[in-house]
Amino acid sequence: MMNPPAYSCFVDRDKMDSAIPDLGPKELSCMELPELKQLARQGYWARSYALRGQVYQRLIRDIPCRTVTPDASVYRDIVGKIVGKHSSTSLPLPEFVDNTQVPSYCLNSKGEGAVRKILLCISNQFPDVSFCPALPAVVALLLHYSADEAECFEKACRILACKDPSRKLVDQSFLAFESSCMTFGDLVNKYCQAAHQLMVAVSEDVLQVYADWQRWLFGELPLSYFARVFDVFLVEGYKVLYRVALAILKFFHKVRAGQPLESDNVKQDIRTFVRDIAKTVSPEKLLEKAFAIRLFSRKEIQLLQMANEKALKQKGITVKQKRQFVHLAVHADNFHSEIVGVKEMRDIWSWVPERFALCQPLLLFSSLQHGYSLTRFYFQCEGREPTVLLIKTTQKEVCGAYLSTDWSERNKFGGKLGFFGTGECFVFRLQPEVQRYEWVVIKHPELTKPASLESASLESATVSSSPSHSLSSESSDRLSPFLATRHFNLPSKTESLFMAGGSDCLIIGGGGGQALYIDGDLNRGRTGHCDTFNNQPLCSENFLIAAVEAWGFQDPDIQ
């Protein structure tokens, strides 16, 4: 008969036996990264309590840490002074957990108290950690696989003290946390469009829903699921968290599509769904779905995160600042367009990158105000990025494009027609039905292999990632933009012809046709399939223009 597993003294044996039945120890002969990735994804050590403990010990020991990283002996020195005469279960949690509760994770009362003691000691040793709501779940899980509190404290400290910038493990400031939430929203917008449409339809503020994404993983997921996610996370890093949260949203949408929501609070509904996820999908299927998503490269996601962080800094959000929610900025009382209503503009705003969705729409050009002149269009739009182009035909069809780059870039081609822009550009139609077409590479990553971004991310670029009302001239602010085509090995240029402008025409999308072509008098246009967006015609293939508008993005603080 197999010996029962040697659980730590912090674990409720009966609850644990039922949550994750132990199938006995296995040996792990290899600790090389490629093999470990496969084994972690397959759940090789997931059914062996002892083996998981050994793997965690080894993986955390190998994290490259700052020279002075608190260890178990530090914990033994300070815990008495910090806890004092408090009973461990009544200890307050440190402020950086932002009122996050300690998940029980089959811990007994001694274990739950130990998590509080460890968190307080971490707070004492890491005064620079100002916002880290994921930490209670991390400590509660690590306590399972630690001989005592001091060992668990040391493991958690090593995760916080990781010094490898390419191996971000947990967000430790409000700025990092909020930019991660925005980055997650951007990824939902790209990879879970149906779920995103549902979120926009049922929530007043979709950014608030996405601000909850880490809570789904670090707190709401049952222990057997979270442990599987953590197995892979320790091997592969932060990107795994995005993958799993996207998979959760896909399953939520699949289950709830067409059903009335259980409450008027979709945020609460998702939390409930995650807590009860075992009714819907196994841990294996959740990870399978997560790794079936063809995400951008880690470096590309880092560029997006940096752009989001920069946008938040420009809005005055600091490392120390506590949570505040930001709202989609299209308000009925101060918005007027000759082409779209508030609801349609909110739809467009829900598609744009999160760092710009915080800004208010600002009318830059209107053919009814400024005349039907392409020259005047360029004059009104130059110095602004990004912009939204809206077109209404004489047949009352409405279409347009989100354009990532300043129209002044067209001047770099010496009077010739040349394409520019990035993979964040997209085209859309609103009437007679709503449809968005993104860069073909997003849905078909097999068209490309990402090029090395080590140098590209710091390369000087003409396109600023700033969301402010005008371009910054400071070279230190210039990063290679997210989804710049030079980051990708494309088989031909036809998949990256985003936007072009000359004196006699404006073109959006190229290769095999044009998504939009408008003449210099803003009078006639045509639309068809193009390789860059792999789109259907956005309206009648040849059309007469009734109205053209260009919209920019204004920081809400700028009047």
Side-chain angles (χ1 to χ4, degrees):
M1 185 175 172
M2 191 180 294
N3 292 325
Y7 293 133
S8 82
C9 62
F10 305 109
V11 174
D12 183 316
R13 176 176 295 277
D14 292 338
K15 288 182 181 174
M16 192 64 187
D17 281 343
S18 122
I20 310 179
D22 195 284
L23 301 183
K26 290 180 183 174
E27 292 182 356
L28 192 64
S29 56
C30 175
M31 287 293 285
E32 296 301 316
L33 191 61
E35 289 84 356
L36 270 185
K37 270 178 83 166
Q38 283 306 110
L39 294 173
R41 291 185 184 192
Q42 292 164 6
Y44 182 81
W45 56 79
R47 293 288 189 178
S48 170
Y49 190 85
L51 187 58
R52 180 177 262 149
Q54 292 168 29
V55 173
Y56 282 9
Q57 184 83 15
R58 175 77 180 270
L59 290 172
I60 293 171
R61 187 191 70 199
D62 289 346
I63 293 172
C65 290
R66 301 196 286 256
T67 310
V68 181
T69 298
D71 61 11
S73 63
V74 170
Y75 182 82
R76 296 186 186 102
D77 289 343
I78 66 174
V79 64
K81 301 168 199 162
I82 288 170
V83 173
K85 294 179 181 176
H86 285 280
S87 80
S88 56
T89 50
S90 66
L91 284 172
L93 289 170
E95 199 177 333
F96 67 63
V97 307
D98 191 44
N99 299 317
T100 303
Q101 297 304 304
V102 176
S104 62
Y105 288 165
C106 302
L107 296 175
N108 55 28
S109 58
K110 181 180 180 180
E112 290 179 4
V115 173
R116 290 173 173 270
K117 289 161 70 176
I118 292 164
L119 288 169
L120 281 173
C121 289
I122 288 172
S123 178
N124 172 270
Q125 292 294 301
F126 288 84
D128 54 330
V129 174
S130 56
F131 197 87
C132 192
L135 204 54
V138 171
V139 171
L141 179 63
L142 292 177
L143 197 55
H144 276 261
Y145 305 101
S146 304
D148 55 24
E149 294 171 13
E151 185 184 307
C152 180
F153 168 84
E154 180 173 323
K155 286 175 179 165
C157 288
R158 290 192 69 80
I159 287 172
L160 289 171
C162 176
K163 67 179 183 181
D164 181 350
S166 69
R167 281 192 69 185
K168 168 185 168 179
L169 291 172
V170 288
D171 295 320
Q172 299 176 35
S173 70
F174 177 77
L175 181 64
F177 174 86
E178 193 73 7
S179 63
S180 295
C181 294
M182 290 169 67
T183 301
F184 177 69
D186 284 324
L187 296 175
V188 174
N189 202 346
K190 296 274 186 262
Y191 294 103
C192 306
Q193 290 185 13
H196 183 63
Q197 285 175 346
L198 175 66
M199 297 303 109
V200 171
V202 301
S203 58
E204 279 187 30
D205 186 351
V206 72
L207 303 190
Q208 277 201 38
V209 177
Y210 298 150
D212 220 27
W213 78 279
Q214 288 194 24
R215 177 169 173 160
W216 306 342
L217 308 177
F218 297 97
E220 302 295 356
L221 267 183
L223 173 61
S224 58
Y225 289 72
F226 177 59
R228 286 294 306 277
V229 173
F230 200 77
D231 293 346
V232 189
F233 163 73
L234 275 183
V235 177
E236 300 190 40
Y238 198 91
K239 187 175 169 182
V240 166
L241 304 180
Y242 286 134
R243 286 186 175 283
V244 176
L246 289 169
I248 285 171
L249 206 54
K250 281 179 176 284
F251 279 117
F252 175 79
H253 175 259
K254 184 178 178 182
V255 168
R256 295 298 166 83
Q259 290 182 17
L261 293 169
E262 290 179 3
S263 72
D264 58 0
N265 185 341
V266 69
K267 193 168 167 179
Q268 200 59 50
D269 280 356
I270 297 175
R271 288 180 187 177
T272 304
F273 173 80
V274 177
R275 278 197 298 273
D276 298 335
I277 197 167
K279 296 175 182 175
T280 305
V281 60
S282 66
E284 291 73 25
K285 289 291 183 189
L286 179 63
L287 287 175
E288 191 179 297
K289 173 75 85 176
F291 286 105
I293 299 168
R294 307 280 294 274
L295 268 189
F296 301 127
S297 69
R298 182 181 287 117
K299 288 290 180 185
E300 202 65 45
I301 289 173
Q302 275 184 340
L303 287 178
L304 178 56
Q305 182 103 9
M306 288 161 72
N308 284 333
E309 211 163 284
K310 183 179 173 192
L312 288 167
K313 283 180 183 173
Q314 290 178 333
K315 293 179 190 310
I317 290 176
T318 64
V319 168
K320 296 281 184 190
Q321 185 170 343
K322 295 296 175 281
R323 174 187 301 280
Q324 63 172 51
F325 285 117
V326 283
H327 298 269
L328 286 174
V330 183
H331 303 296
D333 53 355
N334 59 6
F335 174 77
H336 176 72
S337 163
E338 301 292 341
I339 298 177
V340 296
V342 171
K343 182 188 179 304
E344 291 168 312
M345 199 59 155
R346 280 184 176 152
D347 284 342
I348 296 169
W349 238 240
S350 76
W351 294 333
V352 306
E354 296 282 359
R355 62 192 185 277
F356 300 118
L358 308 179
C359 302
Q360 294 170 355
L362 175 69
L363 184 63
L364 304 176
F365 173 85
S366 164
S367 56
L368 299 180
Q369 288 180 37
H370 299 107
Y372 289 78
S373 160
L374 190 54
T375 304
R376 186 64 188 269
F377 171 90
Y378 292 141
F379 177 79
Q380 294 295 128
C381 292
E382 283 184 5
R384 304 275 182 174
E385 70 174 34
T387 53
V388 172
L389 171 69
L390 294 176
I391 298 166
K392 185 176 185 179
T393 74
T394 53
Q395 300 297 309
K396 295 189 167 41
E397 301 158 306
V398 175
C399 60
Y402 169 84
L403 304 166
S404 65
T405 306
D406 187 345
W407 277 107
S408 63
E409 286 289 298
R410 77 189 195 287
N411 298 322
K412 293 193 167 183
F413 299 98
K416 297 179 181 177
L417 203 62
F419 280 89
F420 52 97
T422 72
E424 285 197 294
C425 293
F426 59 83
V427 294
F428 57 84
R429 65 167 171 259
L430 296 175
Q431 296 289 347
E433 73 274 333
V434 177
Q435 184 69 50
R436 170 176 56 147
Y437 298 97
E438 296 197 279
W439 185 27
V440 65
V441 168
I442 291 169
K443 285 196 173 173
H444 298 282
E446 67 276 5
L447 292 172
T448 175
K449 290 185 179 176
S452 169
L453 282 166
E454 296 294 343
S455 58
S457 63
L458 298 175
E459 200 177 307
S460 174
T462 53
V463 183
S464 164
S465 56
S466 162
S468 67
H469 64 301
S470 61
L471 289 178
S472 166
S473 59
E474 295 175 29
S475 60
S476 62
D477 281 348
R478 293 183 174 181
L479 292 165
S480 180
F482 175 57
L483 297 190
T485 54
R486 65 174 165 274
H487 303 168
F488 298 83
N489 292 322
L490 294 166
S492 70
K493 288 189 176 179
T494 63
E495 291 89 5
S496 60
L497 303 176
F498 299 109
M499 50 193 288
S503 57
D504 57 350
C505 71
L506 173 156
I507 297 171
I508 313 296
Q514 294 150 350
L516 276 172
Y517 172 97
I518 300 173
D519 70 13
D521 297 324
L522 304 187
N523 181 28
R524 295 176 180 274
R526 62 176 181 264
T527 177
H529 172 273
C530 77
D531 293 343
T532 298
F533 299 113
N534 192 29
N535 59 290
Q536 297 299 312
L538 303 178
C539 58
S540 302
E541 294 197 19
N542 293 285
F543 57 87
L544 294 173
I545 295 171
V548 174
E549 290 177 351
W551 289 82
F553 294 76
Q554 177 170 279
D555 193 298
D557 300 325
I558 298 171
Q559 301 301 324

